[in-house]
Amino acid sequence: MDVDEREFFSEATLRICSSLEIEKAMSLCVQYMRQIIPLDTVFLNLYEEDSGAVRTIATATASEGKQLDRFTYLPEGARTGLEEKRRAFRNHGAHSEVLIYNHPEDDPICRPMIEDFGIPDTSLMVMPLALEQDMVGRIVFVAQGKDRYRTEHA
């Protein structure tokens, strides 16, 4: 489905701002966005540097949203990789970088997440969440199946 970029961001913003309950707003976004890009689930994650874990605070599908407080502990190699990405973000302002993982099981940061949530046969599109110059978390878009995302989806 072709859509005007300005219309897309306007519609997505309306849905995000529609509720103070982030999980409800996320579900409304999924309902809209899945008409345009491959999308089954969205996760809102924060990185907990002290514990070396990714904390998922909300998830949503088109039919429901849920608040969570779920920690996925990363192995040392994944923590190092995530810290390198955060450092690059701070140093180079890579705030617009959207990453596509059509085989997330091959990525040391994605693998623990898809295993923990039991979503092995998926593709991911990951957008950083920034607070000033720090990447504090990520929004993860999930589509069932491999090779579902292309650069034009980002």
Side-chain angles (χ1 to χ4, degrees):
M1 174 181 201
D2 288 330
V3 67
D4 177 69
E5 191 172 312
R6 193 156 70 204
E7 177 187 347
F8 174 81
F9 285 107
S10 175
E11 291 294 328
T13 300
L14 285 172
R15 284 158 177 82
I16 289 169
C17 296
S18 68
S19 176
L20 293 176
E21 297 175 51
I22 190 64
E23 69 278 8
K24 287 183 182 178
M26 287 171 57
S27 182
L28 291 171
C29 280
V30 172
Q31 290 172 23
Y32 172 69
M33 292 176 68
R34 72 183 310 191
Q35 299 172 54
I36 299 157
I37 64 169
L39 183 59
D40 295 299
T41 307
V42 174
F43 291 95
L44 179 56
N45 298 330
L46 300 175
Y47 181 55
E48 302 283 337
E49 189 172 2
D50 294 341
S51 63
V54 173
R55 179 180 178 192
T56 303
I57 61 171
T59 185
T61 63
S63 60
E64 69 175 333
K66 295 180 189 173
Q67 274 190 357
L68 298 175
D69 192 20
R70 183 170 174 170
F71 289 81
T72 302
Y73 293 93
L74 301 176
E76 186 59 39
R79 278 186 258 163
T80 302
L82 190 53
E83 281 304 316
E84 288 171 3
K85 288 180 189 289
R86 291 181 75 209
R87 224 177 351 270
F89 187 90
R90 281 190 296 271
N91 294 336
H92 305 292
H95 59 278
S96 63
E97 183 180 11
V98 176
L99 301 173
I100 292 174
Y101 300 95
N102 280 314
H103 296 269
E105 68 279 1
D106 296 337
D107 182 79
I109 300 168
C110 296
R111 186 180 320 110
M113 297 297 298
I114 63 171
E115 289 173 355
D116 189 35
F117 281 92
I119 53 171
D121 187 31
T122 56
S123 298
L124 308 178
M125 186 166 56
V126 181
M127 295 177 56
L129 288 176
L131 185 59
E132 296 178 1
Q133 291 297 314
D134 193 16
M135 184 178 67
V136 296
R138 294 176 168 206
I139 298 174
V140 180
F141 298 91
V142 181
Q144 292 299 311
K146 301 293 183 199
D147 299 312
R148 296 293 307 280
Y149 288 118
R150 300 184 307 270
T151 54
E152 57 264 23
H153 294 131

